[in-house]
Amino acid sequence: MQYDDFTALLGARYSCRGFRSDPVSEDTITKILTAAQKVPSWCNAQPWQVDVTMGTETDRLREALYSHAMTAAQTPDVPWPSAYTGAHQSRRKRCGLQLYDSVGVERGDRAASARQMTENFHLFGAPCFALLTAPAELGPYAYLDCGGFITGFTLAAASLGIASIPQAAVAAYAPFLRDWFDLPDDRIVLCGISFGYADETHPANGFRTSRAPLDEWVRLSGQKEKT
């Protein structure tokens, strides 16, 4: 693959928040998973485990997860960030405002923004869902490896015309998900990925986030090579 092809694929990927109900074939899902597992991992441990639901099983999970999230306290396995400050807070806020503007939530309308947030637990209507977990004994480096897997998964999906959205929000209910998927207590729930064919008419799919310029986050040392 040439650089321009790769950057085009990166640019085509976005976090989809509205899906069509059309099923995704098992062959397509297998291709996505097979490609995603090619990403590097510490000592090639490949710490990820992925549980995938399709069709009516996703619908069962969607209904149960939403009901649970509306009444239960959040108990994530991995602590949420203690704070967002500076540039990180600015980027986070900009993304939120873009989303709310796209779906017609007025600024300051906390009830409406909360309703939009709960769409996470409806899995944004996606026909497929993947739960990503890692063994507790491998610790944070396994989480880093799984971050690479998420990138591989979402890019592989995009290359096949499948939209996706990684979701930390669902990991707020880690015990529920462990029970639902019959996972042992030593599996750390990291995130979910909802995926399927995008509903291009859904207003939440009408915006794209930006990326910070390199001079905000890159420091180069050493002599520059002559060109």
Side-chain angles (χ1 to χ4, degrees):
M1 175 180 285
Q2 299 297 313
Y3 175 81
D4 288 346
D5 296 329
F6 181 62
T7 55
L9 178 59
L10 286 168
R13 189 218 64 82
Y14 66 98
S15 291
C16 180
R17 293 179 174 85
F19 294 87
R20 306 201 311 261
S21 60
D22 309 53
V24 179
S25 71
E26 289 190 38
D27 179 64
T28 297
I29 295 171
T30 298
K31 286 179 178 178
I32 293 170
L33 294 169
T34 300
Q37 72 173 152
K38 303 298 184 184
V39 299
S41 60
W42 189 282
C43 299
N44 198 36
Q46 303 170 62
W48 43 79
Q49 176 174 313
V50 183
D51 288 86
V52 179
T53 66
M54 300 174 290
T56 56
E57 189 61 23
T58 304
D59 291 335
R60 281 205 324 120
L61 171 62
R62 187 191 338 273
E63 293 175 9
L65 176 61
Y66 181 82
S67 295
H68 182 79
M70 294 304 98
T71 58
Q74 294 190 1
T75 52
D77 288 340
V78 181
W80 301 133
S82 60
Y84 285 88
T85 60
H88 306 121
Q89 170 63 356
S90 176
R91 296 166 193 161
R92 181 174 186 259
K93 182 177 180 180
R94 188 181 307 120
C95 177
L97 289 175
Q98 285 181 281
L99 171 59
Y100 296 144
D101 285 347
S102 72
V103 296
V105 174
E106 296 184 4
R107 299 188 184 188
D109 189 343
R110 296 189 179 278
S113 61
R115 284 194 299 273
Q116 176 60 38
M117 192 280 293
T118 64
E119 285 302 302
N120 275 282
F121 310 118
H122 282 137
L123 310 179
F124 298 107
C128 302
F129 175 79
L131 180 71
L132 184 62
T133 65
E137 66 181 7
L138 295 184
Y141 282 100
Y143 310 164
L144 292 175
D145 291 339
C146 288
F149 182 90
I150 294 166
T151 299
F153 185 104
T154 57
L155 289 179
S159 76
L160 295 168
I162 302 299
S164 62
I165 179 169
Q167 294 174 259
V170 299
Y173 302 100
F176 168 87
L177 290 169
R178 256 192 304 275
D179 289 344
W180 185 271
F181 289 97
D182 193 24
L183 299 172
D185 290 340
D186 62 356
R187 299 297 306 184
I188 300 298
V189 174
L190 296 176
C191 75
I193 306 174
S194 293
F195 63 104
Y197 293 99
D199 178 357
E200 302 292 354
T201 67
H202 196 289
N205 291 333
F207 76 95
R208 297 293 182 268
T209 54
S210 62
R211 295 297 181 267
L214 266 62
D215 59 8
E216 282 190 18
W217 57 276
V218 176
R219 297 193 298 176
L220 296 175
S221 299
Q223 185 177 357
K224 295 182 179 178
E225 295 183 3
K226 294 182 179 180
T227 59

